[in-house]
């Protein structure tokens, strides 16, 4: 298959094709070098200047402050209201006839789904079921006011419940009042932390946690959660732990106490929920079954117990009736031991809830500020802690149901909260007869979807490194616990990032035939290079961690060379190293010093550095450090092709006496300066006003940058 490339002009291609076909050779064209604009460090800070040292050091904060001030000045009174009360955005544009019916349906559906789930997740957290209902009441109303997502359904979730249980079980017994107080205090701490991160716009910090880590963590957590619910199926107690080995040992040790009635009931209810979920996903006209699964489990289990009164099946028991009362969280002396879990829950909130909210916002055609979303979740948790709620966050399953049910605004959340209110006021007497195995089946059904084996298969096929990260996180979480699993996963993830940053991709460039485009010779084998010249592209910022690796690779290219097709005058070694710095967004002081050392090292071996296309900040840093003057302004170019033409001109016109042993051999730099004095000044070179070629050049078909024809 013939490969074609984009050429700088059609006329050049025409001349090339004409020459190749044996037609009359066109007139050689003059080399044109685009002059690079160098920064004037003495005038920076003045209008149009590039800066002095004191002003440039504060460039980025001044730029950020000026943008912030401009944004503040552009904000209207309505913008201020919407910033503090995001609910005003959908209230102002609410269309009652179009939105109310779907919001009512979606809110009712999610509310029916949340009531049994809230009680199930509270049991998973080691709390009484009533605290799950409390957590699904006040936070929902607060989030509807301060949250910016219109479809996110918040409340108790399985993963956060497991985290709460894991940390609190090591401090107090679940039957103690202290256990409940600490769960409520944890909600306050999570809320404060989320608000601080939202106000300071620090949500970007969680970007350092790889998706592979999150997938592996949730997969392992789902397995631990499912096994922790086995006691309600088996009919006997098992040890509470976040590690899989103690749980399995406990299950095996108590196998002689197995009771088949709760196992049969729990398995049957779980099968019913899974069947309804499958039908709801696979058939659009049966979508309502997906949300009705938990309610169906509760109704069937309660009906069976009311009719047959089986003594071997444990029940939820008495649940207080009425709304939660206002109270300030207590036991602040334990706050220090809860900090790590609060940070972990906040991380889960950012990664899962904000990610879900942004995806739903994109599907529904509105913008969502992740920091505002984080602030809304924080306020919901803070107010929830004043009304006996434990930490809440966005639920993937309920948010998906809310979206699929057609929710348009936050009114659906208010309706969900209203259903929770009705359940607390009127339905708690009925909850007394709910079987524990039914609630366990709801939890297991919910966490089955968290076992992300498809992600593992995808990672194995696409990126073995990410698969290794997923495997490490999953394994350590299963066998060493949640906190250690997360720390190990994040640590390995950061280690991969540091390794990639410290060993950046560096490419040797060659010229694509018939163009002035230079590309990686490994990706484009047909690209050719020139004798005596190495063109290197650095595809990363240059800083203290990777400068040693970059220097080593440059030395390697100088000594080893490359196997691509070479053109130009036959020379014995490398005389020019061209650094393409277009991908380099930043260079620090350590890298600048290393670049100076590299220049001196090259100078001692008669090698000249040329730099192509540095951005403004990089060029300014090099200029302030004196590197521009050290290398020479004439060795900075806009394009790689400009640098190649100048370097190739010097390689081509080197004095023949340099190889004559009877003459004293001048240094390479002396030969360059002599040639420059004889031929043209630097300004003429950059402007392209001089005819930069000799008679021998016009007869050499290999010097393509200096010729527009081929023999």
């Amino acid at each position: 298959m013939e490969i074609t490339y984009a050429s700088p002009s059609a006329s050049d291609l025409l001349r090339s094709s004409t020459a190749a076909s044996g037609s009359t050779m066109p007139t050689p064209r003059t080399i044109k070098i685009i002059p690079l604009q160098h920064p004037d460090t003495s005038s920076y800070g003045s209008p149009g200047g590039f800066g002095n040292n004191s002003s440039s050091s504060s460039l980025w904060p001044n730029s950020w402050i000026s943008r912030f001030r401009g944004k503040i000045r552009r904000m209207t009174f309505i913008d201020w209201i919407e910033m503090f009360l995001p609910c005003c955005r959908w209230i102002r544009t609410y269309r009652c006839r179009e939105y109310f019916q779907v919001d009512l349906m979606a809110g009712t559906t999610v509310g029916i789904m949340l009531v049994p789930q809230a009680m199930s997740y509270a049991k998973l957290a080691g709390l009484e079921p009533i605290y799950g209902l409390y957590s699904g009441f006040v936070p929902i109303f607060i989030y509807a006011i301060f949250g910016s997502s219109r479809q996110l359904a918040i409340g108790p979730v399985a993963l956060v419940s497991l985290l709460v249980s894991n940390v609190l079980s090591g401090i107090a017994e679940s039957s103690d009042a202290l256990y409940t107080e600490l769960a409520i205090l944890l909600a306050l701490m999570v809320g404060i932390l989320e608000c601080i991160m939202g106000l300071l716009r620090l949500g970007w910090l969680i970007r350092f946690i790889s998706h592979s880590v999150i997938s592996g963590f949730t997969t392992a957590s789902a397995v631990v959660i499912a096994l922790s619910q086995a006691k309600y199926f088996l009919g006997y107690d098992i040890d509470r732990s976040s590690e899989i080995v103690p749980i399995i040992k406990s299950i095996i040790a108590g196998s002689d106490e197995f009771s088949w009635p709760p196992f049969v009931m729990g398995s049957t209810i779980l099968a019913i929920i899974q069947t309804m979920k499958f039908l709801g996903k696979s058939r659009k006209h049966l979508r309502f079954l997906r949300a009705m699964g938990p309610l169906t489990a509760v109704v069937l289990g309660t009906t069976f117990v009311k009719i047959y009164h089986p003594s071997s099946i444990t029940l939820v028991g008495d649940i207080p009736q009425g709304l939660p009362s206002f109270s300030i969280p207590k036991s602040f002396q334990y706050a220090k031991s809860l900090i790590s879990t609060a940070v972990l829950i906040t991380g889960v909130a950012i990664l899962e809830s904000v990610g879900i909210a942004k995806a739903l916002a994109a599907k529904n055609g509105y913008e969502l500020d992740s920091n505002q979303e984080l602030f809304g979740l924080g306020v919901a948790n803070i107010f929830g802690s004043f009304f006996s709620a434990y930490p809440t966050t966005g639920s993937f399953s309920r948010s998906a149901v809310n979206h699929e049910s057609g929710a348009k605004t936050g009114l659906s959340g208010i309706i969900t909260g209203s259903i929770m209110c009705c359940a607390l006021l009127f339905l708690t007497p009925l909850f007394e007869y709910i079987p524990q195995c039914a609630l366990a089946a709801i939890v297991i059904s919910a966490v089955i979807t968290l076992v992300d084996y498809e992600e593992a298969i995808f990672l194995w096929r696409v990126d073995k490194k990410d698969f290794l990260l997923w495997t490490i996180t999953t394994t350590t979480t299963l066998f060493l616990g949640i906190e250690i699993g997360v720390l190990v996963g994040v640590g390995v993830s950061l280690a991969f990032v540091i390794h990639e940053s410290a060993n950046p991709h560096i490419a040797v460039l060659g010229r694509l035939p018939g163009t002035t485009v230079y590309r990686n010779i490994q990706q484009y084998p047909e690209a050719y290079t020139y004798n005596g010249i190495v063109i290197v592209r650095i595809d990363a910022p240059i800083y203290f961690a990777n400068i040693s690796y970059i220097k080593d690779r440059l030395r390697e290219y100088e000594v080893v060379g490359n196997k691509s097709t070479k053109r130009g005058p036959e020379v014995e070694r490398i005389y020019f190293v061209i650094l393409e710095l277009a991908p380099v967004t930043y260079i620090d002081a350590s890298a600048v010093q290393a670049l100076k050392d590299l220049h001196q090292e090259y100078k001692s071996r008669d090698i000249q550095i040329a730099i192509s296309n540095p951005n403004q900040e990089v060029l300014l840093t090099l200029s302030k450090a004196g590197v521009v003057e050290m290398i020479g302004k004439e060795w900075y170019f806009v394009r790689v092709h400009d640098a190649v033409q100048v370097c190739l001109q010097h390689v081509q016109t080197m004095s023949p006496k340099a190889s004559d042993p009877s003459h004293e051999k001048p240094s390479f730099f002396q030969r360059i300066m002599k040639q420059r004095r004889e031929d043209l000044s630097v300004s003429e070179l950059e402007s392209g006003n001089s005819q930069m070629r000799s008679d021998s050049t016009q007869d050499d078909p290999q010097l393509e940058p200096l010729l527009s024809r081929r023999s």
Side-chain angles (χ1 to χ4, degrees):
M1 184 178 76
E2 183 181 359
I3 302 177
T4 60
Y5 302 94
S7 186
S9 66
S11 59
D12 289 344
L13 285 178
L14 181 60
R15 287 195 294 268
S16 298
S17 62
T18 303
S21 62
S23 302
T24 304
M25 293 184 182
T27 303
R29 53 189 172 86
T30 302
I31 297 174
K32 294 293 184 180
I33 307 298
I34 303 174
L36 180 70
Q37 298 296 324
H38 289 273
D40 182 6
T41 56
S42 63
S43 61
Y44 193 77
S46 60
F50 281 85
N52 53 39
N53 291 347
S54 60
S55 298
S56 61
S57 62
S58 59
L59 173 62
W60 72 265
N62 287 337
S63 176
W64 182 86
I65 291 173
S66 62
R67 289 198 303 269
F68 179 76
R69 287 177 177 174
K71 183 178 179 180
I72 294 296
R73 283 194 295 267
R74 291 192 300 269
M75 290 181 65
T76 63
F77 177 74
I78 294 178
D79 292 334
W80 282 100
I81 297 245
E82 291 181 349
M83 185 175 70
F84 290 104
L85 297 174
C87 62
C88 295
R89 297 172 187 170
W90 58 264
I91 290 176
R92 286 194 309 111
T93 59
Y94 195 82
R95 289 177 280 188
C96 188
R97 291 184 178 179
E98 184 177 348
Y99 292 166
F100 181 74
Q101 184 176 357
V102 290
D103 281 341
L104 178 63
M105 179 64 67
T108 303
T109 302
V110 175
I112 292 172
M113 186 178 183
L114 177 59
V115 171
Q117 276 192 349
M119 293 187 289
S120 304
Y121 294 150
K123 294 293 293 182
L124 175 61
L127 299 167
E128 294 297 324
I130 188 63
Y131 291 101
L133 297 176
Y134 290 162
S135 301
F137 174 49
V138 172
I140 291 180
F141 287 104
I142 300 301
Y143 178 81
I145 298 173
F146 293 98
S148 53
S149 175
R150 304 174 189 179
Q151 285 79 30
L152 186 68
I154 73 163
V157 297
L159 189 53
V160 171
S161 299
L162 177 64
L163 294 173
V164 171
S165 173
N166 183 60
V167 68
L168 297 187
S169 59
I171 301 176
E173 293 293 332
S174 60
S175 57
D176 295 343
L178 176 62
Y179 189 98
T180 302
E181 292 175 3
L182 293 179
I184 296 171
L185 174 62
L186 190 57
L188 177 63
M189 295 175 62
V190 169
I192 292 174
L193 188 58
E194 289 174 337
C195 285
I196 291 174
M197 294 190 69
L199 291 173
L200 297 180
R201 309 187 72 81
L202 298 178
W204 58 270
L205 290 174
I206 309 298
R207 298 175 191 170
F208 288 100
I209 302 179
S210 167
H211 177 71
S212 302
V213 172
I214 297 302
S215 176
F217 168 67
T218 54
T219 297
S221 299
V223 174
V224 173
I225 291 171
L227 289 176
S228 70
Q229 299 299 297
K231 62 181 180 180
Y232 301 113
F233 276 59
L234 302 176
Y236 57 88
D237 288 335
I238 60 176
D239 293 340
R240 175 176 294 181
S241 175
S242 62
E243 303 171 24
I244 191 172
V245 174
I247 295 177
I248 294 177
K249 285 183 177 180
S250 180
I251 292 175
I252 296 174
S255 58
D256 55 339
E257 301 178 21
F258 173 76
S259 177
W260 65 266
F263 180 80
V264 172
M265 173 178 279
S267 301
T268 303
I269 292 176
L270 178 60
I272 292 173
I273 295 175
Q274 288 298 103
T275 302
M276 295 179 69
K277 184 186 294 186
F278 173 77
L279 293 175
K281 286 183 177 180
S282 59
R283 292 172 173 79
K284 289 186 177 181
H285 63 282
L286 297 177
R287 285 186 302 183
F288 67 94
L289 291 178
R290 182 180 179 184
M292 294 295 292
L295 180 63
T296 303
V298 169
V299 171
L300 290 177
T302 304
T303 303
F304 181 84
V305 168
K306 291 284 288 184
I307 295 175
Y308 296 102
H309 304 285
S311 59
S312 57
I313 295 179
T314 57
L315 306 180
V316 169
D318 183 48
I319 296 180
Q321 187 173 6
L323 301 179
S325 58
F326 178 86
S327 62
I328 302 295
K330 305 173 184 177
S331 305
F332 284 94
Q333 66 270 23
Y334 292 94
K336 186 176 180 180
S337 60
L338 300 178
I339 290 178
S340 60
T341 302
V343 172
L344 189 56
I345 293 174
T346 302
V348 171
I350 297 175
L351 292 166
E352 297 294 336
S353 303
V354 177
I356 297 166
K358 294 185 76 171
L360 293 176
K363 288 183 178 181
N364 288 273
Y366 64 92
E367 294 184 0
L368 184 136
D369 185 351
S370 58
N371 292 291
Q372 175 65 52
E373 183 68 14
L374 194 56
F375 177 78
L377 289 170
V379 175
N381 272 305
I382 290 174
F383 276 87
S385 68
F386 296 148
F387 293 91
S388 303
Y390 75 95
T392 59
T393 188
S395 166
F396 180 83
S397 59
R398 294 195 298 271
S399 298
V401 169
N402 199 32
H403 169 69
E404 292 169 1
S405 300
K408 297 295 184 182
T409 66
L411 181 61
S412 62
I414 295 176
I415 293 171
T416 299
S418 301
I419 291 177
M420 295 298 294
C421 179
C422 294
L424 286 167
L425 289 174
F426 309 113
L427 301 179
T428 51
L430 300 177
F431 299 156
E432 178 181 352
Y433 299 97
I434 298 176
Q436 296 272 25
C437 59
L439 296 183
I442 294 173
V443 173
I444 294 173
S445 174
V447 300
I448 284 176
T449 57
L450 297 179
V451 180
D452 202 358
Y453 64 90
E454 293 180 353
E455 178 71 10
I457 297 173
F458 173 78
L459 294 176
W460 172 261
R461 187 171 63 251
V462 174
D463 192 338
K464 300 296 190 295
K465 186 183 296 183
D466 280 341
F467 175 79
L468 176 62
L469 185 58
W470 185 93
T471 304
I472 291 174
T473 305
T474 303
T475 304
T476 52
T477 303
L478 281 175
F479 292 96
L480 301 179
I482 293 175
E483 286 83 359
I484 296 178
V486 171
L487 289 176
V488 170
V490 172
V492 175
S493 179
L494 291 178
F496 284 162
V497 171
I498 294 172
H499 179 269
E500 291 296 328
S501 179
N503 299 271
H505 179 262
I506 301 176
V508 175
L509 305 184
R511 182 177 178 182
L512 298 180
T515 74
T516 58
V517 177
Y518 293 78
R519 291 292 182 265
N520 187 347
I521 59 175
Q522 292 185 351
Q523 184 177 1
Y524 297 91
E526 63 273 19
Y528 55 85
T529 58
Y530 291 97
N531 293 310
I533 302 173
V534 175
I535 311 168
V536 178
R537 187 185 67 215
I538 303 171
D539 295 328
I542 306 177
Y543 68 113
F544 65 92
N546 63 14
I547 186 61
S548 296
Y549 174 82
I550 292 173
K551 289 173 66 176
D552 292 342
R553 294 298 300 273
L554 291 176
R555 294 189 187 101
E556 177 186 332
Y557 295 142
E558 176 193 349
V559 176
V560 178
N562 58 77
K563 299 180 181 179
S564 64
T565 304
K566 290 184 178 293
R567 300 189 180 186
E570 293 293 337
V571 291
E572 298 178 354
R573 63 181 184 85
I574 299 298
Y575 288 99
F576 292 93
V577 175
I578 301 174
L579 301 181
E580 162 66 303
L581 299 187
V584 178
T585 58
Y586 168 75
I587 183 170
D588 72 351
S590 299
V592 168
Q593 187 59 46
L595 195 58
K596 288 183 178 180
D597 297 339
L598 183 65
H599 171 72
Q600 295 297 335
E601 181 182 330
Y602 277 157
K603 188 175 181 180
S604 67
R605 299 201 301 272
D606 286 345
I607 298 175
Q608 174 65 49
I609 293 179
I611 293 179
S612 168
N613 197 22
N615 69 32
Q616 177 179 321
E617 292 187 11
V618 171
L619 188 57
L620 180 61
T621 301
L622 296 177
S623 180
K624 290 190 296 181
V627 178
V628 171
E629 289 74 15
M630 177 182 292
I631 296 177
K633 287 187 176 182
E634 65 275 13
W635 295 107
Y636 288 75
F637 301 91
V638 174
R639 302 180 303 167
V640 173
H641 188 58
D642 294 342
V644 170
Q645 290 183 101
V646 173
C647 294
L648 194 56
Q649 175 72 15
H650 287 297
V651 172
Q652 171 202 351
T653 58
M654 288 172 57
S655 173
K657 295 181 181 180
S659 59
D660 189 350
S662 63
H663 293 79
E664 182 181 354
K665 183 177 179 179
S667 71
F668 178 62
F669 286 92
Q670 291 174 342
R671 296 198 302 272
I672 290 178
M673 296 306 297
K674 180 180 178 181
Q675 177 65 33
R676 186 171 298 163
R677 286 193 301 269
E678 292 175 352
D679 291 350
L680 70 166
S681 65
V682 172
S683 60
E684 290 175 325
L685 180 66
E686 291 191 345
S687 64
N689 294 328
S690 300
Q691 188 77 9
M692 297 173 56
R693 67 177 36 84
S694 62
D695 294 339
S696 62
T697 307
Q698 300 181 25
D699 297 330
D700 189 347
Q702 300 296 320
L703 305 181
E704 187 168 340
L706 306 180
L707 299 172
S708 60
R709 61 183 176 83
R710 298 181 183 178
S711 58

